[in-house]
Amino acid sequence: AGKSSTKPQGPFQPGKSDYQKVYNDVAELLESNDEYDNGSYGPVLVRLGWHASGTYDKESKTGGSNGATMRFSPESDHGANAGLKTARDVLQSVKDKHPWITYSDLWTLAAVSAIQEMGGPKIPWRPGRQDGDVTACTPDGRLPDASKEQKHLRDIFYRMGFNDQEIVALSGAHALGRCHTDRSGFDGPWTFSPTVLTNDFYKLLIEEKWSWKKWSGPKQFEDVATKSLMMLPTDMALIKDKAFKKHVEAYAKDNELFFKDFADVFAKLLELGVPFKTDEKFVFKASTD
Ligand code: ZEM
């Protein structure tokens, strides 16, 4: 009797409630540091999830969030990933508390938590990513270059398997966060509420007047009215190109449509190239539910 009769246990099999605990712990640390940017790690965690996933190449089936290879050099040193060490370091405390979760599941789940906690739509998510080693690092140049325009956007995002509408829907994430001169070289936020996900990116793109910023940094746009907001050349390409622009207009008019399409395409992004063993997706409770 007693303890000696305990059955041998297999490896810990986490279920939805375990992942919800991880979600909650990420939610709790988002605003834990007043000194950081606009008081939220949310935007940089969204960017981590995106850069971990956006390396996917549908032809060779390499890259994507499976593997979490951004832990290793050379991928951690790729120019596009400058500043993302902050995001990886912040999540280490969550990994220490829940050591059973893989980094690759953690980074994508953290992006889901950040989106939902910043007022965004529910992003269905499923576990199953395995961490890889340094040999799975992707070559530099798979993520978009902000100094380019529509042809480049299509080259990069079609390679991942996205279409024009999905490119525009994903780009709405630039409602969040800001550019940092010590990371990308660009400077400033896209919207007046960079810690809340809304369709403001599209509204501002269409409604404001934009001109080249006069400065010694990389070429970017500023809003003529306040000179406090920015657009990248790739952002501006979304209204230069007719096929992109019709989706910008649709999302500017209809936040609900944006949220629906963003949820679909962000969930798809986080799953690129992952060999899942289960179809069951989790929808996590937000702290405001
Ligand atoms: Zn971004 N992004 N991105 N992006 N991004 C930056 C910041 C953020 C591009 C890009 O070059 C840049 C998507 C698509 C594209 C976020 C999410 C998503 C920055 C500023 C640049 C330069 C980095 C810095 O200096 O800190 C380009 C060219 C894109 C092609 C369309 C997609 C897709 C995203 C998610 C779905 C987010 C949240 C940020 C803000 C990060 C922060 O730290 O505030």
Side-chain angles (χ1 to χ4, degrees), residues 29-79:
L29 64 75
L30 292 178
E31 299 191 348
S32 60
N33 181 357
D34 292 345
E35 311 280 291
Y36 184 75
D37 274 2
N38 294 75
S40 175
Y41 288 116
V44 80
L45 291 181
V46 172
R47 191 162 198 243
L48 176 66
W50 140 237
H51 278 208
S53 309
T55 54
Y56 185 61
D57 171 34
K58 67 176 183 185
E59 297 303 326
S60 63
K61 297 191 164 49
T62 56
S65 63
N66 200 39
T69 47
M70 205 199 296
R71 286 170 298 150
F72 310 116
S73 178
E75 199 173 326
S76 55
D77 299 326
H78 290 167

Side-chain angles (χ1 to χ4, degrees), residues 36-37 43-44 46-47 50-51 82 144-146 153 157 167 170-171 173-174 176-181 183-186 190 232 234-235 262 266 269:
Y36 184 75
D37 274 2
V44 80
V46 172
R47 191 162 198 243
W50 140 237
H51 278 208
D145 174 345
L153 285 180
F157 283 91
I167 294 171
L170 278 170
S171 298
H174 281 173
L176 300 170
R178 59 178 298 120
C179 299
H180 304 77
T181 51
R183 296 181 183 178
S184 59
F186 296 96
W190 290 266
L232 300 164
T234 40
D235 298 318
F262 182 81
F266 197 65
L269 172 71

